[in-house]
């Protein structure tokens, strides 16, 4: 590893049809960090996540995981390379049980005892899920579904965890809870890329942040500095 | 026992036999629909393939007719396995060549392609086995159980062939249900059916899962073709069209995309066919079946057990 960051995104351009969504995005994530992407709707946050996780492939530029190019690797093959995610909108499997959802998160793994231990680990983080283990995931509340989406992503034992809008649509108490758990798993060594509309919360837990506007990074700094930044304050206060 | 009642019970047995082979075919329709939202109109022709290919293998081996105990325990299972592998393989190949390139095309494109594949297969069968009725020799021993084994004087016919048909189809249905409910690949199939992109995010190779689905659906249709051949002893190059139509109707009746719905629908259609053939006119049976289908679609479009939106979807 040495000097390589865990993830290096180098001037990627991504398109939806003819719409140029990302204009040369470059960023990096070091092992053990929480890095956050903030920006308004349509700024390109989710597009970056989708590019990193191989759901879409950038037309130009490169993405390196530990120095290895991954920007042409299909999504399913990236999970075993160490990238998993809790996607925007949760995307849990509504007609699978909570337990089966977690098992799907560990799809690429074959170490039964390890998977069992990780299910217990997830249930330790989210005791509510344990109570609902045999329930169809579609019957869970929004907050529980978010917990499941995060737990399912953890089941892959990723080296890099991508969290896309984990606080979306949740009651404030639950948001606090989710962010506290993000910090907790980070302290245990998990590297996290966090996309959030709730910029203040995100910057409070993150080490560094990137501010996105219309597919470009307009600011990159430590989370502390970004919180103090005039422009950032305006953006997340909605004065812009 | 009252003779009318004996006839009625006899027709119930007939309905169950029709239902059980239709169910194996209907499962293929519903599984494929569940995962790629395609009505695979060529699926009935895979049933016919199972019939013809197993007949070809039987003819090549040329075992005694009917098979003796050794043959029943060796040759028959062997031919089952080969038939299922070949039919499953053919279905996977069809998907690879005809449907996969159209995965992201508008839904109508693969649908029409499926109709085309069906015509192509039927034409190939016509060349392969001819346009006439094809006899399927009596390899499976037929014993009228109630009369010959129990010495009962009854009009109810329950033969060893009936038991054979149930003995093959029902374990296959139970096995499939177990596979889909309990195994990792089965769960990945359901996950892919519910959200393909999220499944890929979990590390599931969705293309491989789809190929597996086509394989299993084809293998079940192949098994149905083989048992039906041994049961009914006759077939024709167009037999897949007829059976496919009824199996497709069964799947829609039960709720397309729904595994248990397909089985339930098949047994209902089997019962309707059996009763209508006996109590009305065989020529009216289709009217009965499709009349009921139309009524159901008007009043409950998602089928009896609910379509892919339901909780029981594969």
């Amino acid at each position: 590893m040495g000097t390589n960051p865990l993830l290096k995104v180098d001037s990627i351009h991504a398109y939806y049809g003819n719409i140029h969504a990302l204009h040369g995005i470059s960023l990096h994530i070091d092992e053990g960090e929480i890095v956050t992407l903030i920006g308004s709707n349509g700024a390109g946050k989710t597009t970056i996540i989708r590019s990193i996780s191989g759901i879409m492939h950038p037309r130009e530029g490169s993405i390196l995981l530990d120095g290895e190019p991954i920007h042409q690797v299909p999504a399913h093959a990236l999970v075993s390379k160490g990238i998993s995610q809790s996607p925007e909108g949760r995307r849990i499997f509504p007609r699978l049980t909570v337990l089966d959802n977690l098992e799907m998160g560990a799809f690429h793994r074959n170490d039964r005892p390890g998977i069992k231990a990780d299910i217990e680990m997830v249930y330790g983080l989210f005791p509510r899920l344990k109570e609902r283990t045999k329930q169809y995931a579609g019957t869970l509340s929004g907050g529980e579904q978010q917990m499941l989406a995060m737990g399912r992503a953890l089941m892959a034992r990723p080296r890099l965890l991508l969290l896309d809008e984990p606080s979306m649509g949740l009651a404030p108490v639950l948001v606090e809870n989710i962010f506290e758990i993000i910090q907790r798993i980070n302290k245990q060594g998990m590297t996290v890329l966090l996309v959030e509309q709730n910029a203040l919360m995100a910057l409070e837990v993150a080490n560094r942040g990137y501010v996105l506007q219309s597919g470009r990074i307009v600011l990159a700094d430590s989370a502390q500095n970004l919180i103090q930044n005039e422009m950032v304050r305006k953006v997340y206060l909605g004065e812009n | 026992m009252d003779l009318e009642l004996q006839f009625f019970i006899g027709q119930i047995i007939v309905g169950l036999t029709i239902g059980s082979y239709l169910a194996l075919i209907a499962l293929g329709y519903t599984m494929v629909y569940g995962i790629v939202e395609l009505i695979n109109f060529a699926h009935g022709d895979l049933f016919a393939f199972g019939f013809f290919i197993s007949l070809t293998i039987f003819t090549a081996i040329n075992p005694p007719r009917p098979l003796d105990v050794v043959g029943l325990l060796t040759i028959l299972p062997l031919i089952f396995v080969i038939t299922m592998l070949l039919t499953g393989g053919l279905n996977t190949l069809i998907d690879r060549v005809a449907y996969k390139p159209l995965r992201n095309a508008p839904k109508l494109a693969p649908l029409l392609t499926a109709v085309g594949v069906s015509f192509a297969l039927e034409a190939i069968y016509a060349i392969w086995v001819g346009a006439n009725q094809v006899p399927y020799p009596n390899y499976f021993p037929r014993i009228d159980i109630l009369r010959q084994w129990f010495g009962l004087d009854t009009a109810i016919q329950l033969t060893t062939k009936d038991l054979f048909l149930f003995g093959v189809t029902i374990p296959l249905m139970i096995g499939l249900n177990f596979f889909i409910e309990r195994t990792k690949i089965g769960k990945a199939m359901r996950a892919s059916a519910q959200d393909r992109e999220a499944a890929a995010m979990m590390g599931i190779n969705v293309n491989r899962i789809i190929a597996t689905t086509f394989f299993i659906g084809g293998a079940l249709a192949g098994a149905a073709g083989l048992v039906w051949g041994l049961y009914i002893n006759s077939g024709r190059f167009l037999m897949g069209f007829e059976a496919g139509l009824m199996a497709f109707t069964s799947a829609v009746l039960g709720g397309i995309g729904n595994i248990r719905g397909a089985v339930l629908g098949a047994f209902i259609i089997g019962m309707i066919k059996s009763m209508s053939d006996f109590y009305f006119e065989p020529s009216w049976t289709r009217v009965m079946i499709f009349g009921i289908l139309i009524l159901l679609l008007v009043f409950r479009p998602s089928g009896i057990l609910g379509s892919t939106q339901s909780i029981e979807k594969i």
Side-chain angles (χ1 to χ4, degrees), chain A residues 89-155:
Chain A
R90 297 155 200 154
R91 308 284 288 270
I92 46 115
F93 302 115
R95 293 174 299 276
L96 293 187
T97 64
V98 167
L99 183 62
D100 288 346
N101 266 275
L102 293 178
E103 266 183 42
M104 287 298 103
F107 186 78
H108 76 279
R109 296 168 56 186
N110 286 313
D111 55 324
R112 281 186 156 272
I115 293 172
K116 261 199 154 159
D118 284 357
I119 288 173
E120 284 313 312
M121 179 271 292
V122 168
Y123 283 161
L125 286 174
F126 306 106
R128 293 275 282 281
L129 294 182
K130 187 168 190 172
E131 294 165 24
R132 302 199 176 347
T133 181
K134 294 278 175 209
Q135 237 169 281
Y136 279 115
T139 66
L140 300 183
S141 72
E144 289 161 350
Q145 290 190 8
Q146 185 56 55
M147 294 172 192
L148 181 58
M150 278 178 65
R152 189 180 63 171
L154 287 172
M155 288 303 297

Side-chain angles (χ1 to χ4, degrees), chain A residues 214-226:
Chain A
S214 337
R216 290 184 177 84
I217 287 173
V218 294
L219 255 183
D221 210 333
S222 72
Q224 280 170 323
N225 288 347
L226 287 176

Side-chain angles (χ1 to χ4, degrees), chain B residues 40 167 219 223 231 243 299 308:
Chain B
N40 180 11
Y231 185 83
F299 292 107
T308 47

Side-chain angles (χ1 to χ4, degrees), chain B residues 91-104:
Chain B
N91 207 22
T92 313
L93 181 73
I94 290 171
D95 171 55
R96 181 71 192 77
V97 173
Y99 309 144
K100 194 178 173 215
L102 300 170
R103 205 78 87 207
N104 297 316

